[in-house]
Every structure is written in C-alpha cells, then in structure tokens.
Amino acid sequence: RQVLLLQSNLGVPHGILLDRQQLYIRNLQSLVRNPKKAARFLCGGGMGNDRSWGMTLANLLSKGFDLDEGFLKSTMQEMVRWALEMVRSKSRIRVDQGALLYGVYDFSGKLRPDEVVIQVNHPISEGQGSRLKTILGQVMVTRNPCMHLGDVRVLQAVRPPSDLAHLKDVIVFSVRGDRPQTSKMGQGDMDGDYYSVYWDKQIIPTRQYEPLVYNAQTAPEVPRKITLDDVKEFFIKHLLNNNIGKLAIAHLV
C-alpha cells in the first residue's frame, strides 16, 4: 500500500494501478480451473516467500496431476483465498516485470552513482528450469517501509561489467557518489535488506523527489560505569519513541 500511494503521487496514473489490480484478481480466480496458468503462477513465486512449496505444487501439475484431485484442489483454493485476502488487506498486486532482491555493492567501483546491475532467473515454464535475463534501462527501486516520496528511486540498469557478471538474483548498487542509493531509501543498507525492483515502464514514476536526510543523534556520554538501571532506562525510552508502526498507519490513512 505504501508503494502504491507513492507511485500515485509520483505520476503513475491511478487507472493503470487499478487495471493491474483487476487483472490480478481475474487471474487468481481462473487458477483453480487452469492447470497451466496455475503452474506458471506458482513458478513465478505465487506463494510469496515460500517459493519451494510453490515449485513443489507446480511440479505436481507438470507431472500430470489434475486440479480436481482432492489435495491439489483444496491447496489451490486456499492459495487463491490467501492471495485475494492480501489484495483486500494490503492492496497487493502481482508485477511480472519486477523482483524482490537482496542488495549488494559494486566494490569494483565501475558503476556510476545512478547505475545498477540486475540479472534475474525467470522460470521458463513448469518443470523446465529458468532463463537468465539481464534488465536494461530505467528501473524503479524502493524498500519497505517507504513513507517519503524520496524513498522511491528511478535508476538506470546497465549491462554488467565482467567483474559483476557472476552476480545473479541480486541488485548491485554503485559505491560512487556523495551518498549511497541504498541510504536514500529510508536509510537502507547491506545487512540483508530486500529491495523491490520494477522494470515495467507503465508503473515507473515520471517524477522524483529529493531523498530525506536522516541526521543521526549523537550518543550521550556517560562518565561512569553503565549500570542495569541505565539499560532499563534506555529500553523504556526506545519503547516510548519507537513510532515507525504508528507513522506507517498514519501514512496509509
């Protein structure tokens, strides 16, 4: 929902986003009647983060199991119910020209500040493996939570130099420039953050905003030995000031 709101405010027409949502809902409703479409959906990560379970179901369908078989039928119906609930509660929309990728840095220093390298494995069809695809051109990159218009970055995906050709199913960011692109997206970093990447031209924003500047507070100096009372006080202050969840809800409202 956060991404959709930011896209809308950055120039992506409402009609395109609504059309994508309606198409996604129609596709979901047809999965229980179309084994080939169900297998493609599962191969493409239809079960969310539990990709291995989706691939297992896709392999069963590719081996000739029928969707009328009791276990497969009930599983697919539950999957469709879950996906529709995600649409209702989180406005989730499937984007075929997109991926959720770990971020890594280009330590060779060859990429320019606004350049990234993206090579992703796309499933060919059920049971047929995958094909490596190099993304080129403009891409939209962000990470959750994203509550500021500057958290959405439009970058240039380029062909990987020889030093980076082995990096697949990740997004490679440049180390050049006065501030890392990852930091511009809600103070992202490389400690295991996922980045949402879209190369669908219709949903790439036409406008950009300057990223928010995060000024870190200086840690107070304690001229004595830290005690358990200090730890308790720090923990209580953290609980009182940890408002990211409230801000996210207020942003959506």
Side-chain angles (χ1 to χ4, degrees), residues 106-127:
D106 163 33
F107 287 106
S108 70
K110 293 184 177 179
L111 295 180
R112 296 174 180 173
D114 64 341
E115 291 181 340
V116 292
V117 166
I118 305 167
Q119 298 183 104
V120 291
N121 283 297
H122 272 264
I124 298 174
S125 60
E126 59 276 15

Side-chain angles (χ1 to χ4, degrees), residues 3-13 140 148-154 203-210:
V3 176
L4 291 174
L5 284 174
L6 294 181
Q7 285 177 306
S8 176
N9 282 279
L10 289 171
V12 179
M140 172 188 146
H148 185 267
L149 289 170
D151 289 340
V152 174
R153 313 308 303 160
V154 177
I203 61 173
I204 293 178
T206 57
R207 299 191 299 269
Q208 280 203 82
Y209 275 70
E210 287 296 315

Side-chain angles (χ1 to χ4, degrees), residues 12 18 23 29 38 93 104 108 110 122 138 144 153 155 157 161-162 166 187 212 231 234 251:
V12 179
L18 288 172
L23 176 62
Q29 292 170 337
I93 301 175
V104 299
S108 70
K110 293 184 177 179
H122 272 264
Q138 277 194 335
N144 285 320
R153 313 308 303 160
L155 305 174
S162 57
H166 65 288
Q187 284 291 80
L212 189 64
V231 176
F234 174 83
H251 170 79

Side-chain angles (χ1 to χ4, degrees), residues 6 11 28 63 109 120 127 139 149 160 179-180 196 209 225-226 236 249:
L6 294 181
L28 285 175
K63 300 300 183 183
V120 291
V139 295
L149 289 170
R179 182 182 176 188
S196 299
Y209 275 70
K225 186 177 179 180
I226 300 297
I236 292 172
I249 295 173

Side-chain angles (χ1 to χ4, degrees), residues 37-223:
K37 183 179 286 190
R40 285 196 299 270
F41 183 80
L42 292 166
C43 285
M47 293 295 288
N49 289 332
D50 194 0
R51 186 177 175 83
S52 60
W53 177 234
M55 292 299 294
T56 300
L57 294 178
N59 286 331
L60 289 176
L61 292 172
S62 68
K63 300 300 183 183
F65 281 79
D66 197 281
L67 274 175
D68 289 331
E69 190 276 330
F71 170 74
L72 272 179
K73 182 177 181 180
S74 61
T75 302
M76 288 300 300
Q77 288 175 339
E78 178 60 22
M79 188 202 74
V80 170
R81 185 205 64 76
W82 171 82
L84 289 172
E85 174 60 23
M86 291 298 100
V87 174
R88 186 196 67 80
S89 62
K90 296 190 175 182
S91 300
R92 183 168 292 178
I93 301 175
R94 181 182 174 88
V95 180
D96 291 325
Q97 297 182 60
L100 186 64
L101 304 172
Y102 276 121
V104 299
Y105 278 133
D106 163 33
F107 287 106
S108 70
K110 293 184 177 179
L111 295 180
R112 296 174 180 173
D114 64 341
E115 291 181 340
V116 292
V117 166
I118 305 167
Q119 298 183 104
V120 291
N121 283 297
H122 272 264
I124 298 174
S125 60
E126 59 276 15
Q128 300 298 317
S130 60
R131 177 182 66 251
L132 185 66
K133 181 176 182 180
T134 300
I135 308 303
L136 300 173
Q138 277 194 335
V139 295
M140 172 188 146
V141 187
T142 189
R143 63 181 288 275
N144 285 320
C146 50
M147 292 171 282
H148 185 267
L149 289 170
D151 289 340
V152 174
R153 313 308 303 160
V154 177
L155 305 174
Q156 192 72 20
V158 300
R159 200 169 296 281
S162 57
D163 294 347
L164 306 177
H166 65 288
L167 295 173
K168 304 175 180 66
D169 294 321
V170 296
I171 176 170
V172 186
F173 292 98
S174 172
V175 296
R176 294 159 62 180
D178 58 349
R179 182 182 176 188
Q181 292 291 347
T182 53
S183 174
K184 296 177 182 179
M185 293 177 274
Q187 284 291 80
D189 50 36
M190 292 299 168
D191 63 355
D193 286 4
Y194 277 110
Y195 293 86
S196 299
V197 185
Y198 307 103
W199 53 93
D200 185 332
K201 304 304 180 186
Q202 289 189 314
I203 61 173
I204 293 178
T206 57
R207 299 191 299 269
Q208 280 203 82
Y209 275 70
E210 287 296 315
L212 189 64
V213 177
Y214 297 86
N215 294 317
Q217 295 183 354
T218 303
E221 294 288 340
V222 181

